[in-house]
Amino acid sequence: MMSSAADTSNVISAKLPADVEKMLKNKTYQHSEEIQEQRVQHIKRICTEEYKIQPLPFNGTDKRFSSHLRARLRTTFVNDDYKLLVTVVYKTGSQGWKKLLKQLYERGRNVSQKTLGSEDGLYTLSQVKKQYGLNAVVNRLKNYFSIIFVRHPYTRMLSAYKEKLVKMPNKFYEKKSRGIIRQVRSIPLPDSKTPDLKFDEFVQFVANGGWDEHWCPILNKKPCHVYYDFIGHLETFQDDVAYLFHLIGIGNIVEFPECHHAAGSGDLAVLKEHFSQISQTLLTKLNTRYKNDFKIFDYRLPQNNTDFH
């Protein structure tokens, strides 16, 4: 049996006129709507006024969609039923997004998406291009709702360090950790010894251009060349996802799966603790590599190794 409080709540809700319910629902998301507008307009302003980059014209014969957007096509997943494009950025809930897309795929009816050789419904714009040609990609970029979630560049980098190079979940990252140690220490680690990569060594490697999908700058997704319709931040994840589900009409269909982030990597105290290990010279060099991510996604660039707010 329901509690009396729940009964009362249901009675009150039932008595609300439809237009009042709609007004209250819209008011709930007003702040999120304003934040989204600010984020989208901020990117457009930075791209056009500071970087002098204009978005690509939606022309199916324009080869720049292949050359300029290679990384974006490779990591942008498609759902044709709901007309969604989700660009996956590793260490920003990427596994959760993939699970969500699988759920939507299972509930979908679109036959064409089931012919791309993916039993779980995870297929990218690169696969669309291979199967149907560039025009099919451009058509989706033009007409589908495009989503990306980002994260403070250095909490994302710290999360990648902890998850991939400290825990070393597989042989690939154990080998990568050894390779970084060999590069920064100039002395190979004996095979019998477990890699013990230090955070300042990792930062040195990254600042010198060391690349991996889990910490490379998000700017390689080319947000200036084709604008995103929705820009979520991991720091406001719950509010952003709630508003996004409301916008695209899937709130009553699916729930966002639980996703894991390296423990404490988003905590400012933990961030300061790790960055206190690196020199000002190294931080300046690292800032040079990530400054565009900070600027375009509106994060504050730290000026010293304790400057995290």
Side-chain angles (χ1 to χ4, degrees):
M1 180 181 292
M2 289 185 180
S3 67
S4 58
D7 290 339
T8 304
S9 174
N10 287 338
V11 170
I12 293 172
S13 177
K15 289 181 179 179
L16 285 175
D19 58 338
V20 175
E21 277 197 12
K22 184 177 181 181
M23 180 193 72
L24 290 174
K25 196 169 188 179
N26 289 341
K27 189 174 181 181
T28 302
Y29 297 110
Q30 183 178 347
H31 181 60
S32 294
E33 182 180 4
E34 292 170 355
I35 289 175
Q36 275 306 307
E37 181 66 17
Q38 290 170 8
R39 289 174 182 170
V40 169
Q41 292 305 318
H42 173 80
I43 285 185
K44 289 181 178 179
R45 183 183 63 78
I46 296 297
C47 290
T48 56
E49 295 180 12
E50 295 198 29
Y51 297 162
K52 308 300 181 186
I53 299 174
Q54 295 296 328
L56 295 176
F58 289 110
N59 180 345
T61 62
D62 193 328
K63 300 301 182 184
R64 289 177 296 175
F65 280 97
S66 292
S67 59
H68 288 27
L69 301 183
R70 187 173 290 108
R72 181 157 168 179
L73 301 189
R74 190 180 67 249
T75 56
T76 295
F77 291 86
V78 184
N79 182 281
D80 286 315
D81 280 303
Y82 295 91
K83 299 189 184 309
L84 300 177
L85 299 177
V86 180
T87 298
V88 167
V89 176
Y90 291 102
K91 305 312 299 177
T92 62
S94 57
Q95 292 305 312
W97 286 112
K98 290 179 181 179
K99 290 176 183 177
L100 176 71
L101 288 165
K102 288 179 185 179
Q103 291 179 37
L104 291 177
Y105 173 79
E106 289 166 0
R107 289 161 173 76
R109 299 173 304 281
N110 194 297
V111 177
S112 66
Q113 73 183 64
K114 295 175 170 45
T115 66
L116 284 161
S118 174
E119 294 182 358
D120 58 8
L122 291 179
Y123 62 99
T124 65
L125 283 174
S126 288
Q127 290 169 286
V128 170
K129 178 176 176 288
K130 183 177 180 180
Q131 183 84 8
Y132 301 114
L134 184 59
N135 196 57
V137 170
V138 175
N139 180 61
R140 285 165 172 78
L141 286 168
K142 180 180 180 180
N143 296 303
Y144 285 18
F145 192 78
S146 189
I147 302 160
I148 188 170
F149 268 71
V150 299
R151 185 179 188 179
H152 186 291
Y154 292 164
T155 60
R156 176 174 170 251
M157 194 177 78
L158 176 57
S159 179
Y161 164 73
K162 286 183 165 187
E163 186 69 27
K164 300 301 180 183
L165 299 174
V166 175
K167 291 184 179 179
M168 293 178 293
N170 52 47
K171 290 292 184 182
F172 176 84
Y173 281 102
E174 180 180 343
K175 183 177 179 180
K176 194 173 192 76
S177 186
R178 287 184 182 278
I180 296 171
I181 289 172
R182 182 171 60 250
Q183 183 173 324
V184 298
R185 296 180 190 173
S186 301
I187 302 173
L189 194 70
D191 291 340
S192 59
K193 188 174 181 182
T194 301
D196 58 345
L197 181 69
K198 304 295 187 292
F199 183 68
D200 62 321
E201 295 174 329
F202 170 65
V203 172
Q204 182 181 335
F205 171 76
V206 173
N208 286 326
W211 190 92
D212 186 276
E213 283 279 11
H214 293 85
W215 60 74
C216 66
I218 302 174
L219 198 67
N220 78 337
K221 310 300 182 186
K222 304 297 183 184
C224 291
H225 293 76
V226 177
Y227 295 141
Y228 284 98
D229 300 302
F230 191 97
I231 302 149
H233 284 205
L234 201 67
E235 294 79 10
T236 53
F237 187 80
Q238 297 297 334
D239 289 343
D240 289 351
V241 166
Y243 179 52
L244 173 63
F245 279 24
H246 165 70
L247 273 182
I248 60 182
I250 64 171
N252 296 324
I253 301 173
V254 294
E255 292 183 359
F256 195 89
E258 289 187 16
C259 52
H260 169 74
H261 306 294
S265 56
D267 186 277
L268 286 179
V270 176
L271 200 61
K272 287 181 180 180
E273 176 189 347
H274 281 78
F275 272 82
S276 67
Q277 304 170 25
I278 69 173
S279 67
Q280 181 64 43
T281 300
L282 186 53
L283 177 63
T284 301
K285 189 171 185 178
L286 188 69
N287 280 350
T288 299
R289 185 171 187 202
Y290 284 94
K291 65 181 180 181
N292 290 321
D293 271 14
F294 278 93
K295 177 177 286 188
I296 204 162
F297 296 114
D298 206 17
Y299 288 100
R300 184 175 176 276
L301 187 70
Q303 299 305 307
N304 58 65
N305 60 10
T306 61
D307 186 24
F308 296 96
H309 305 286

